[in-house]
Amino acid sequence: MKEPIGFERLSGLIAFARAGSLGSYRAAARSLSISPSAVSKSIQRLERHFGLALFTRTTRSLTFTAEGRDLHARVLILLRQAEEIEQLAKSARSEPAGTLRIAASLPVGLHMLAPAITEFRSRFPKVMIDLRLSDQMVNLVEEGIDLAIRIGELSDSSLLSRRLMPYTLCCYASPDYLARHGTPLHPDELAEHETVNLRYQGSGQALRWPFRISGKEIELLPPSAVIVDASEAVLAAMAAGAGIGMAASFVAAPRVSRQELVPVLSEFAVTRRNITAVWPESRRSHPAVRAFLDVLIEVR
């Protein structure tokens, strides 16, 4: 007769799956809200039960053994099935409740999701929002994320998706800067101005500014004296009078409404339709995901 799987062994499988996906006990502990030693002990008990080493450990790295790699893939399937069971049970409830885990970049979180969260919580007070802001791409399944908002083309076709509102990429500057230096009338005149640019944290590359000129989209890379790696810093520098910069309309909108920034070269601005909400198949019937998407579209 097969021995039924116990709670302790299930905990070990969860710790093993998370440590293998995230690459360290410390990261797994943060994800599970437990201590690194608890993760380590749980995996050690699992290894003793199996009679196998699951990881090769050094002071700097954590790598799978051959057996560990094969078991990790199977455990991920098991945990995904467990999540689907949980979501089916949740969907039977008429009112959204529980925790909704959302991942997004910092600009999207601040300027797009914050207003939607406020409205959502007023309608569905039984849902707690766990918002995780980072420019790093997260694996929704492995990290237990219910919904992510991404900018750019999608690479993971296994996720369910829904296109959100379009926005424009436009140049902005402070009224003070324009009063001192004048307003450019064509993108070619940017070479005569101070500019502030964004450097992507992931690639280290500077943002190439898109413009629509004579019906065609072209890209320029202005010679910027100020380059920062966070979009909020670009906005702050522009508002302080450092020069002309480029930003998404939904990011710049609060400062424009406060008259801290003014659109520049707006007739050359380009429209983008690449903001997408994505969620795993296991969250298809998740009532809080559906409700939040409805509020997000309504608020925007």
Side-chain angles (χ1 to χ4, degrees), residues 37 64 186 283 300:
S37 63
F64 288 117
H186 191 277
R283 305 301 197 270
R300 296 305 303 177

Short mmCIF file of all heavy atoms in Angstrom, two decimals, residues 37 64 186 283 300:
data_model
loop_
_atom_site.label_atom_id
_atom_site.label_comp_id
_atom_site.label_asym_id
_atom_site.label_seq_id
_atom_site.Cartn_x
_atom_site.Cartn_y
_atom_site.Cartn_z
N SER A 37 16.50 29.30 6.86
CA SER A 37 16.80 28.03 7.54
C SER A 37 15.61 27.08 7.46
O SER A 37 15.79 25.86 7.35
CB SER A 37 17.16 28.29 9.00
OG SER A 37 16.07 28.86 9.71
N PHE A 64 20.86 22.37 -9.69
CA PHE A 64 20.22 21.08 -9.62
C PHE A 64 21.22 19.95 -9.84
O PHE A 64 22.16 20.07 -10.64
CB PHE A 64 19.14 20.96 -10.71
CG PHE A 64 17.91 21.77 -10.47
CD1 PHE A 64 17.57 22.78 -11.35
CD2 PHE A 64 17.09 21.52 -9.37
CE1 PHE A 64 16.42 23.53 -11.14
CE2 PHE A 64 15.96 22.27 -9.16
CZ PHE A 64 15.62 23.27 -10.04
N HIS A 186 10.64 71.37 -34.52
CA HIS A 186 10.86 70.15 -35.28
C HIS A 186 11.86 69.29 -34.50
O HIS A 186 12.76 69.83 -33.82
CB HIS A 186 11.40 70.47 -36.68
CG HIS A 186 11.41 69.29 -37.60
ND1 HIS A 186 12.42 68.35 -37.60
CD2 HIS A 186 10.52 68.90 -38.55
CE1 HIS A 186 12.16 67.43 -38.52
NE2 HIS A 186 11.00 67.74 -39.11
N ARG A 283 -5.57 31.05 -13.72
CA ARG A 283 -6.35 32.17 -13.17
C ARG A 283 -7.50 32.57 -14.09
O ARG A 283 -8.09 33.63 -13.91
CB ARG A 283 -5.45 33.40 -12.95
CG ARG A 283 -4.23 33.16 -12.08
CD ARG A 283 -4.59 32.67 -10.68
NE ARG A 283 -3.50 32.83 -9.75
CZ ARG A 283 -2.57 31.91 -9.52
NH1 ARG A 283 -2.60 30.75 -10.17
NH2 ARG A 283 -1.61 32.12 -8.64
N ARG A 300 -9.30 53.94 -16.54
CA ARG A 300 -8.46 54.56 -17.54
C ARG A 300 -9.27 55.17 -18.66
O ARG A 300 -8.79 55.96 -19.42
CB ARG A 300 -7.48 53.52 -18.13
CG ARG A 300 -6.50 52.97 -17.11
CD ARG A 300 -5.70 54.04 -16.40
NE ARG A 300 -4.97 54.87 -17.32
CZ ARG A 300 -4.24 55.90 -16.98
NH1 ARG A 300 -4.19 56.26 -15.72
NH2 ARG A 300 -3.58 56.62 -17.87
#
